[in-house]
């Protein structure tokens, strides 16, 4: 059983389109995250939800909107996609969100905007 | 604000040789430190973590890391690398138990193994 699963694994789309990435975790964790990894492999947190409530919202364009229907799911919707949105997006989960919690990562979604 | 520096962008070692990947952090108090590995096309997997106590921590796949407060370092080591260790390695810091915390990653070190 995959602990943190994301779909799709690859996503190629045109500029201006709207797309969603889904994430589910079966670890029973109460906190979920979205990270963006750019072409230089730099990982940066975008959002974090604890018990379905937004707790971290980094400086991310309004075109990105996370939604957490329940503790096990955190989806990422992106409007009006731009070339600069091309990256690998990782979902992660943890139990709690303090500094000493281990995050478990999904396999990533490679988004290519053309 | 906390930060993590991995000075080596790319390291190449021979199979069977020893390995040390460097990580330096900046934080005012005792940090929580992590090493993650990312194999090609995969997500990140936790290798080991340091929260407190013994400054030498053992992880999976034969890796270990040593926390040195005086040097603000948390270097990752392995006595003998295997070809399957070729991957990207990330050091990360989780800064504490107050407020809305977040895991901050270094820029990663790509490890290449040559026969």
């Amino acid at each position: 059983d995959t602990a943190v699963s994301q779909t799709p694994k690859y996503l190629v789309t045109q500029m201006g389109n709207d797309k969603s990435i889904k994430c589910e975790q079966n670890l029973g964790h109460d906190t979920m995250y979205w990270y963006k990894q750019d072409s230089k492999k730099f990982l940066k947190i975008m959002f974090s939800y604890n018990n379905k409530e937004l707790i971290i919202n980094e400086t991310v364009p309004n075109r990105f909107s996370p939604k957490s229907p329940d503790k096990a799911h955190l989806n990422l919707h992106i409007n009006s996609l731009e070339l600069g949105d091309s990256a690998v997006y990782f979902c992660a989960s943890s139990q709690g969100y303090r500094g000493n919690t281990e995050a478990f990562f999904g396999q990533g979604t490679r988004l290519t905007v053309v | 604000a906390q930060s993590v520096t991995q000075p080596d962008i790319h390291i190449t070692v021979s199979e069977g040789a020893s390995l040390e990947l460097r990580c330096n952090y900046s934080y005012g108090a005792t940090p929580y430190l992590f090493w993650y590995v990312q194999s090609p096309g995969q997500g990140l997997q936790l290798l080991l973590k340091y929260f407190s106590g013994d400054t030498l921590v053992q992880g999976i796949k034969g890796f270990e890391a040593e926390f040195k407060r005086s040097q603000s370092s948390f270097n990752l080591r392995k006595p003998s690398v295997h070809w399957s260790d070729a991957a990207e390695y990330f050091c990360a810091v989780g800064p504490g138990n107050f407020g809305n915390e977040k895991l901050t990653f270094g820029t990663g070190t790509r490890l290449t193994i040559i026969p």
Side-chain angles (χ1 to χ4, degrees), chain B residues 76-113:
Chain B
L76 182 71
R77 301 194 294 248
K78 187 170 184 178
S80 176
V81 297
H82 185 261
W83 63 266
S84 60
D85 293 325
E88 193 89 21
Y89 290 80
F90 293 93
C91 183
V93 60
N97 285 324
F98 303 100
N100 294 330
E101 307 299 340
K102 57 188 178 183
L103 200 57
T104 300
F105 285 87
T107 49
T109 297
R110 183 158 60 96
L111 176 64
T112 297
I113 309 294

Side-chain angles (χ1 to χ4, degrees), chain A residues 13-75:
Chain A
T13 187
Q14 291 187 324
M15 283 175 55
N17 284 351
D18 303 338
K19 290 294 179 185
S20 292
I21 307 172
K22 295 187 176 182
C23 179
E24 176 181 7
Q25 55 95 3
N26 61 8
L27 297 167
H29 289 164
D30 60 5
T31 304
M32 296 185 72
Y33 311 81
W34 279 109
Y35 282 83
K36 179 180 180 180
Q37 186 175 48
D38 63 22
S39 58
K40 295 185 178 179
K41 299 281 188 175
F42 182 62
L43 271 159
K44 191 169 189 298
I45 192 167
M46 301 173 69
F47 302 103
S48 174
Y49 273 74
N50 175 257
N51 286 317
K52 301 193 300 174
E53 290 198 17
L54 183 66
I55 57 169
I56 292 177
N57 185 354
E58 292 293 287
T59 307
V60 175
N62 291 339
R63 300 181 293 102
F64 290 80
S65 54
K67 282 190 173 52
S68 182
D70 55 55
K71 287 196 306 183
H73 296 84
L74 180 62
N75 304 324

Side-chain angles (χ1 to χ4, degrees), chain A residues 56 58 98-100 102 107, chain B residues 42 46 51 96 99 101-102:
Chain A
I56 292 177
E58 292 293 287
R98 301 304 185 190
N100 61 349
E102 174 186 344
Q107 292 207 321
Chain B
Q42 301 295 313
L46 183 70
F51 292 163
E101 307 299 340
K102 57 188 178 183

Side-chain angles (χ1 to χ4, degrees), chain A residues 1-15:
Chain A
D1 278 349
T2 304
V4 182
S5 59
Q6 301 176 224
T7 53
K9 190 169 182 180
Y10 300 97
L11 184 55
V12 181
T13 187
Q14 291 187 324
M15 283 175 55

